[in-house]
Amino acid sequence: MLQIAVLISGGGSNLQCLIDTMKDSGEKEFSICTVISDREASGLKRAEKAGIETHLVDRKIGRPKLSEEINRILSGKADYIILAGFLSILEESFIEQWMGKIINIHPSLLPDFGGKGMYGMHVHEAVIQAGAEVSGCTVHFVDKGIDTGEIINQMSISVDRSWDAVRLQKEVLKLEHKLLPQTVHLLCEKGINL
Ligand code: GRF
């Protein structure tokens, strides 16, 4: 059974989906071994409620120490690390050490609307501003760039002309809640390599 660590910074609705999937499947495929947040995040409560070990590693300690501390917590414990709304950038040495084992979910169809500054509502605002007819979400391996790693899985949605960024975010989040558990299932069933 795969041991998965989930890193968050916010509400953790994607984390909740993984918790529900894990419980529904009787923890046969994977187990969430730990949840780490880089700030006080309400998502930590979701993990605590599910009886999962949690850690708060404050991003204010700086990137090197943050990466070091996360590595210390995860070493020998996690097979995969899922970034589910985790906003800090980790050290290159950390990424190298865990290459092929870190997965991120991004709320657009990468490579479009990814990169520096493209997180949260900024992504959806940019999609609306560009007049894109299609958007969606992407699960990808994390490499040393921002949102540049190899794409594993995507889901798309038509953007209705009447939608604003808030509505688009809501619709894409619904898709994310399907895409992430589906991808973790793929990972458990078939194994996915870089
Ligand atoms: C999601 O839109 C995810 O794609 C992005 O951050 C958001 C996290 O949402 N990376 P939540 O905390 O899982 O609700």
Side-chain angles (χ1 to χ4, degrees), residues 11-21 43 45-47 49-50:
S13 67
N14 280 292
L15 163 68
Q16 187 65 55
C17 279
L18 292 177
I19 292 173
D20 295 344
T21 308
K45 298 220 165 50
R46 297 181 189 265
K49 204 170 159 205

Side-chain angles (χ1 to χ4, degrees), residues 3-194:
Q3 297 295 328
I4 287 178
V6 184
L7 272 54
I8 61 166
S9 298
S13 67
N14 280 292
L15 163 68
Q16 187 65 55
C17 279
L18 292 177
I19 292 173
D20 295 344
T21 308
M22 173 181 82
K23 301 244 157 160
D24 289 350
S25 68
E27 294 189 41
K28 280 199 200 96
E29 283 197 322
F30 71 94
S31 176
I32 302 173
C33 56
T34 189
V35 173
I36 303 176
S37 178
D38 63 351
R39 65 199 74 196
E40 291 282 355
S42 55
L44 283 173
K45 298 220 165 50
R46 297 181 189 265
E48 281 161 19
K49 204 170 159 205
I52 299 167
E53 170 194 301
T54 59
H55 297 268
L56 171 60
V57 186
D58 198 323
R59 67 195 189 285
K60 291 188 194 120
I61 60 177
R63 191 187 296 185
K65 281 201 176 142
L66 179 75
S67 306
E68 203 179 293
E69 183 58 13
I70 293 176
N71 190 41
R72 194 190 61 73
I73 295 167
L74 300 186
S75 288
K77 184 186 255 185
D79 298 309
Y80 283 92
I81 303 170
I82 297 188
L83 309 184
F86 185 70
L87 292 172
S88 290
I89 304 286
L90 294 162
E91 283 286 287
E92 288 198 353
S93 55
F94 180 94
I95 307 289
E96 244 161 50
Q97 193 175 334
W98 288 90
M99 193 64 90
K101 302 290 174 196
I102 316 175
I103 283 163
N104 182 47
I105 181 153
H106 183 82
S108 77
L109 290 175
L110 290 175
D112 293 343
F113 305 104
K116 202 160 186 262
M118 279 293 155
Y119 61 90
M121 194 54 82
H122 300 295
V123 177
H124 304 294
E125 277 161 0
V127 171
I128 295 290
Q129 200 146 21
E133 289 179 355
V134 178
S135 191
C137 47
T138 303
V139 174
H140 63 96
F141 283 115
V142 172
D143 66 7
K144 290 181 194 167
I146 301 178
D147 302 326
T148 52
E150 197 174 320
I151 292 170
I152 301 169
N153 209 355
Q154 291 182 307
M155 277 187 191
S156 64
I157 187 173
S158 297
V159 181
D160 193 285
R161 278 170 179 271
S162 68
W163 291 357
D164 60 7
V166 174
R167 175 69 191 271
L168 179 61
Q169 183 186 43
K170 215 172 148 192
E171 297 299 331
V172 170
L173 199 56
K174 282 189 214 161
L175 275 194
E176 292 184 45
H177 295 164
K178 291 183 190 152
L179 183 71
L180 192 56
Q182 190 199 82
T183 311
V184 171
H185 179 67
L186 269 178
L187 211 66
C188 297
E189 280 272 288
K190 302 189 190 311
I192 310 169
N193 297 311
L194 261 179

